[in-house]
């Protein structure tokens, strides 16, 4: 479904501006005062509504994968983060194997690339 969000307050370049947002195929297609659009779409008046604000960043999360996925996975943790408005998280290094070498952190990064729904910046351990 395509959507046109009209008269929204949109965060852009450090300030909120009044703008229209056209969403096509679940992705932001265009942003501006006047937007040309083709095809079938629904329109919503977003007067006095804030959209497209910067996401939060949590610098202390325990995603627990690899090694302790019975507690949480990168996928489940980042899905929860996204639902709460976070666009990035920094994951703690209490994992198995501990991310104390390039090889071990690459294990975690491979899972992040496959499963994460927000940006994940893994911390390495200092062992």
């Amino acid at each position: 479904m395509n959507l046109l969000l009209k008269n929204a307050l949109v965060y852009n370049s450090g300030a909120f501006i009044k703008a229209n947002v056209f969403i096509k195929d679940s992705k932001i297609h265009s942003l501006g005062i006047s937007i040309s659009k083709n095809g079938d779409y629904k329109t919503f008046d977003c007067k006095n509504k804030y959209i497209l604000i910067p996401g939060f960043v949590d610098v202390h999360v325990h995603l627990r994968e690899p090694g302790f996925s019975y507690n949480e996975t990168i996928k489940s943790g980042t899905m929860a983060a996204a639902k709460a408005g976070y666009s990035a998280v920094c994951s703690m290094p209490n994992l198995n194997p501990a991310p104390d070498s390039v090889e071990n952190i690459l294990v975690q990064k491979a899972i992040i690339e496959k499963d994460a729904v927000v940006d994940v910046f893994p911390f390495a351990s200092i062992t």
Side-chain angles (χ1 to χ4, degrees):
M1 172 189 295
N2 300 327
L3 304 171
L4 177 61
L5 308 176
K6 297 180 66 108
N7 306 311
L9 296 169
V10 178
Y11 190 80
N12 188 14
S13 300
F16 285 97
I17 61 168
K18 184 177 174 182
N20 299 324
V21 180
F22 185 54
I23 300 172
K24 182 177 181 180
D25 301 324
S26 300
K27 296 188 191 271
I28 296 172
H29 182 268
S30 50
L31 171 70
I33 301 302
S34 63
I35 296 175
S36 67
K37 59 248 170 250
N38 298 320
D40 188 29
Y41 60 91
K42 276 191 170 182
T43 302
F44 293 93
D45 187 5
C46 295
K47 185 177 181 182
N48 298 323
K49 304 284 190 270
Y50 290 90
I51 60 173
L52 300 178
I53 60 174
F56 298 112
V57 177
D58 189 338
V59 298
H60 188 128
V61 300
H62 295 269
L63 296 178
R64 311 303 288 151
E65 190 177 23
F68 305 99
S69 58
Y70 54 86
N71 288 326
E72 181 159 55
T73 64
I74 289 170
K75 186 171 188 170
S76 67
T78 59
M79 288 174 69
K83 183 117 176 128
Y86 287 84
S87 60
V89 296
C90 301
S91 61
M92 296 293 106
N94 52 339
L95 305 171
N96 187 16
D100 57 0
S101 67
V102 172
E103 294 80 21
N104 288 351
I105 205 158
L106 287 176
V107 172
Q108 184 183 16
K109 287 186 63 77
I111 301 167
I112 290 167
E113 288 174 15
K114 181 175 67 86
D115 291 342
V117 298
V118 300
D119 291 331
V120 177
F121 301 98
F123 286 119
S125 62
I126 56 172
T127 56

